[in-house]
Amino acid sequence: MRSTLILLSFAILFVAFIDGAVKPVHSDKDVVPHEEQMLDVDTIFRALGVPYCMRKCIDPFINSTTSLWNMKNVVNQARKVCSQHAQAITCLKKEQFCDHLKIFSKASSSVEYMCATKHVLFERMESCLNPIVDDVMSTCDKECYSRSNLTAFAQDSNIKFAATVGGNAFIVADHLGDLCTSLQCTLPCVTKRLNNKCALSGWLSLDMLMQPFDAVSVMVEQLSPPLKDLIIKKIDKRCHFAINPNQLNRIRNGDFNAFNK
């Protein structure tokens, strides 16, 4: 059970990293963008076995992050994202037995870090970031295929099968490799390009984006050796950096060669 929760957290963080719009479990059609703009997060979440009680809390937050998926007006939408994230956390606290290990909180900790811990620094950089962030994200997406790989992941027949059987975190873990390749490209791309446009903003963004990986690596380190070995075997080698504290620390400090040790 514990190993499945680790894999669940590990997979959810990829959705949190590159969010898209999700068809809600409720009937509010007004928050859903046009079909051609949507990522099938619903299939991903069902493949992960995310329970209904969690979905009803987090779907409004996922829908609020469509600016990240569309890469338009990202900076100006940050406050809305922060508000919806806080509401999702509050909702989950009321559902006492839904997410008692705080998987969603850990997987979306980048948002919490930006909204609660680093918001003053981001506000100081807002005037510089606002004109350039959308272009930086779009350029890095074209170089790193983040959105196309995530879309392909959601459309994979194995992921769709996992979704139909109530979720299978191990199947999901077997198909994370291309997403990890995109991350290995995206993190240095965003960091370097933002630093070039707005001094230190790239390092601040990298620090923020590393938060969920740190959380997952801590969870893995706390496992018994047999379970830890199982996680390492099940996750694609391209993703091993995400559960290795030493590699994560080097990446956080700008050593992007650490992705491959």
Side-chain angles (χ1 to χ4, degrees), residues 48-101:
L48 289 167
V50 178
Y52 172 81
C53 61
M54 186 184 293
R55 288 291 305 276
K56 71 178 184 179
C57 288
I58 70 175
D59 277 3
F61 161 69
I62 298 297
N63 281 321
S64 74
T65 64
T66 53
S67 59
L68 297 181
W69 181 254
N70 296 326
M71 298 181 180
K72 295 179 181 178
N73 204 26
V74 170
V75 172
N76 290 334
Q77 293 297 320
R79 289 179 180 84
K80 180 180 179 182
V81 170
C82 289
S83 175
Q84 289 288 354
H85 182 263
Q87 290 179 36
I89 297 297
T90 299
C91 177
L92 287 172
K93 286 180 179 178
K94 294 177 181 178
E95 299 282 348
Q96 297 182 31
F97 304 104
C98 182
D99 189 21
H100 65 282
L101 292 179

Side-chain angles (χ1 to χ4, degrees), residues 4-27:
T4 300
L5 288 170
I6 295 288
L7 290 170
L8 177 64
S9 177
F10 186 85
I12 286 178
L13 71 85
F14 285 97
V15 182
F17 181 83
I18 314 172
D19 285 305
V22 58
K23 294 179 181 178
V25 294
H26 47 76
S27 59

